[in-house]
Amino acid sequence: MRQFAVIGSGPAGFYTVEALAKAYSGTARIDLIDRLPVPYGLIRFGVAPDHQSIKAVSRRYDKVMEDEAVRFVGNVAVGRDVAIPELLDLYDAVVLATGAPHDRKLGIPGEELPGVVGSAAFVGWYNGHPDFADLDPPLDGANAAVIGNGNVALDVARILSKTRAEFAGSDIVGHALDALEGSAIREITLVGRRGPHQIAMTPKELGELGHLEAARPHAESADFPPVEADAALEPGVRKSVTHLREFTAMSADKPKRIAFDFFARPVAIEGDGRAERLIVERTMLDDSGASVGTGETYAIPASLVVSCIGYSTPPIDAVPYDDRGGRFANVHGLIADRLYCVGWARRGPSGTIGTNRPDGQEVAEQIVAAMPEGGEKAGGEGLYRLLAERGVRPTSFADWRTIEAAEIAAARAGAPREKMVRHDHWLATLGH
Ligand code: NAP
C-alpha cells in the first residue's frame, strides 16, 4: 500500500485525490487533510452564493469520497498541528493543494483604514468562512469602490447590489443577507487600472449585471476604442466588451448604479479615522499594454473599499516559497523530493475550477512515475496517533455529513442550507 496525503480539500485537492485513486485503484490510501472541519474549500467559501450551479460540482467530489481508499481528515492545520517533515515521514508523497486564500496588498497609503477590506475577507464574510464571520463591513455610506476588473470584483459588485429577493435559492449566510438588506450603498464604482479591452471579467458573469432588480451598470463611451477594434479581441473578451458597450447606453432608472471607472490607478485611501474616498490617478496604456500614470488624480467617494486584485498562498514552514509569485516555489508542481503542489498553490490564482482537473492529473502522473521502491509508510494511522498525542481531534467525512444535515435543517425557506460560521458551532454539532 502506498500512502498519500493531499492538503486542502478545494477543487485542486479533490481532483488530485481522484487522479491518485484512479491510478492506484485500491493499492494506495489517500488522506485529504483540511484545516477546517468541513470540506470543499473554494467551492464552499469562494464561489458566489448566488451561483449554486457552480457550487454543485461538490457532488462530483462526494463521489471521490465513496472510494474506501480515500479519507477526509478535517480540523487539522498543517504547519500548526503537524509539520511538513512529519508528513513526509508518514506518507510516500505529500501534495499541497492549499489554494490562495490571502489577499494581495494594494501597497498604498490608507490601506489599513477601517472600511478597507480585501476580497478574501469580504467574500469569506458573505460565504460563512469562520475567519471572517465578524468582519462587519461598513454598509452605512452611499458609496463603495471595488478595485479590480476580474470576476471577483464582479461578484462583489453584484452581491452589494442585489435585493433580498434576488438571493432566494442562494446559500448566502444570514448575517450577510440581513446586513446587505439594510445597506445604504447606492453607487458602486468598479475601478480598473486599464481599459475595457483589458478586463478579466467573463461574459456570462458580466452579462448578469444587466439584469439586476435594483441596480443598473454604467460605462462611459469615451473609455472605449472605436468599435472596429473589438474584432481583434479573443472571442470571450469580445463578448465581455460587447456587454460593456451595452452598459454605456443603459438608462439610470434604478436606485443603485454600478459604474465602471476605467484607466484609474488607486494611489491612496483617505478619511478621518475611516475610509471616505479612494484617490486614483488617471492612466493610459503604454505600447506593452501596461498602465502608466498621467499625473492627473481625482477622488472617488467610498466608505467601503473592497480590493479584488488577486490572492496569494500562505507560506508553510519548511516549504520553499516564491515571494514574487505568492505561491510555493515549484517546477511543474514538484517542490522537493516527494513534496508537490497543485492548483492555485502551484500556479497562482488564475483559471476556472475546471483548470484544476488536468493540473491534479498531471501531478498524480508525476507521483506515480517518481515512486521509489520501498517499505510501507505509517500513513493515516501514524497521523492519527500523532494528532491524538497533541490533543487534536480530526473530523471525518461522516462528521461533515452530520454538519451538512444540520445546515440543511436550519435553511431559511427556499435556501439549500444555512451555513454554520463558527468553528465551535461545527464541533458542538459533532458533540466534540
Ligand atoms: P484576476 O482575474 O486576476 O483579476 C484581478 C484584477 O485586479 C485585474 O483586473 C487586475 O488588473 C487588477 N489588479 C491587480 N493588481 C492591481 C493593483 N495593484 N491595482 C489595481 N488593480 C489591480 O483575479 P480575480 O478576480 O481575483 O479572480 C481570480 C480567478 O478566479 C480568475 O481566474 C477568475 O476568473 C476566477 N473567478 C471566476 C469566477 C467565475 O467564473 N464566476 C468567479 C470568481 C473568480 P490588470 O489586468 O491590470 O493586472
Side-chain angles (χ1 to χ4, degrees):
M1 276 282 181
R2 289 296 185 191
Q3 306 283 351
F4 298 118
V6 176
I7 321 301
S9 65
F14 267 106
Y15 288 124
T16 306
V17 171
E18 184 178 43
L20 282 171
K22 193 162 170 229
Y24 281 91
S25 61
T27 61
R29 294 219 54 153
I30 307 151
D31 287 340
L32 180 56
I33 300 173
D34 203 293
R35 81 179 172 97
L36 294 178
V38 299
Y40 310 130
L42 178 100
I43 303 300
R44 179 177 164 106
F45 297 111
V47 172
D50 56 342
H51 283 168
Q52 287 294 314
S53 58
I54 301 179
K55 284 191 188 272
V57 71
S58 66
R59 289 193 214 117
R60 180 193 167 124
Y61 303 161
D62 290 349
K63 291 254 175 276
V64 175
M65 296 311 300
E66 286 171 12
D67 189 328
E68 280 185 0
V70 180
R71 167 169 51 189
F72 178 69
V73 186
N75 202 31
V76 175
V78 171
R80 182 192 68 194
D81 299 327
V82 58
I84 290 288
E86 291 172 327
L87 289 177
L88 286 167
D89 278 348
L90 293 168
Y91 293 91
D92 290 295
V94 175
V95 184
L96 300 174
T98 47
H102 282 190
D103 284 307
R104 283 188 46 219
K105 291 279 175 206
L106 283 163
I108 59 174
E111 189 167 13
E112 308 309 325
L113 281 173
V116 184
V117 296
S119 54
F122 192 73
V123 170
W125 170 71
Y126 63 63
N127 257 330
H129 194 294
D131 291 354
F132 307 109
D134 297 318
L135 184 75
D136 195 19
L139 305 173
D140 56 334
N143 300 85
V146 178
I147 302 171
N149 273 178
N151 280 325
V152 170
L154 206 44
D155 278 346
V156 168
R158 189 182 68 255
I159 296 291
L160 282 171
S161 309
K162 278 196 163 181
T163 61
R164 189 175 188 102
E166 285 178 292
F167 284 114
S170 82
D171 65 351
I172 187 167
V173 291
H175 67 225
L177 184 61
D178 292 342
L180 288 165
E181 189 179 20
S183 164
I185 294 170
R186 292 293 171 268
E187 174 99 3
I188 298 148
T189 307
L190 271 164
V191 181
R193 63 181 173 181
R194 299 192 290 157
H197 274 199
Q198 286 76 37
I199 54 163
M201 297 168 172
T202 43
K204 184 168 168 285
E205 285 69 23
L206 191 56
E208 283 179 70
L209 288 196
H211 303 282
L212 295 172
E213 196 180 305
R216 282 282 192 216
H218 175 76
E220 291 290 339
S221 6
D223 286 333
F224 289 76
V227 72
E228 301 77 54
D230 294 2
L233 295 170
E234 183 266 311
V237 181
R238 189 161 65 234
K239 267 191 171 170
S240 290
V241 172
T242 302
H243 281 306
L244 286 174
R245 287 190 186 277
E246 288 160 8
F247 297 167
T248 62
M250 282 196 171
S251 52
D253 56 352
K254 302 209 171 176
K256 296 186 189 181
R257 194 168 90 126
I258 302 170
F260 284 81
D261 197 345
F262 291 111
F263 301 108
R265 184 175 76 91
V267 291
I269 298 156
E270 293 178 351
D272 187 6
R274 62 175 283 190
E276 289 174 14
R277 59 201 161 268
L278 172 69
I279 309 297
V280 294
E281 180 182 14
R282 188 55 71 218
T283 64
M284 50 193 284
L285 297 184
D286 68 11
D287 290 344
S288 72
S291 67
V292 284
T294 61
E296 180 200 342
T297 60
Y298 59 97
I300 299 170
S303 48
L304 172 68
V305 178
V306 189
S307 145
C308 310
I309 62 164
Y311 300 112
S312 64
T313 299
I316 299 179
D317 273 352
V319 181
Y321 192 77
D322 166 4
D323 279 314
R324 269 195 72 208
R327 56 185 183 235
F328 297 120
N330 74 93
V331 179
H332 303 303
L334 179 66
I335 301 175
D337 184 35
R338 300 186 297 110
L339 181 62
Y340 299 83
C341 56
V342 285
W344 283 6
R346 167 190 175 179
R347 331 182 289 276
S350 65
T352 63
I353 290 161
T355 314
N356 295 298
R357 191 158 179 244
D359 199 310
Q361 277 165 344
E362 194 193 325
V363 166
E365 278 164 24
Q366 282 192 58
I367 292 174
V368 174
M371 263 310 102
E373 296 293 313
E376 193 164 332
K377 296 259 188 186
E381 303 322 314
L383 175 65
Y384 271 76
R385 272 198 301 276
L386 204 67
L387 294 172
E389 281 165 25
R390 293 173 186 175
V392 179
R393 200 158 162 185
T395 55
S396 64
F397 205 68
D399 288 337
W400 154 240
R401 290 300 199 199
T402 302
I403 291 169
E404 186 183 35
E407 290 188 339
I408 292 170
R412 56 186 178 270
R417 66 189 64 77
E418 183 62 52
K419 288 179 190 170
M420 296 176 198
V421 303
R422 310 240 170 233
H423 218 91
D424 293 354
H425 197 175
W426 282 320
L427 299 185
T429 305
L430 301 174
H432 285 195

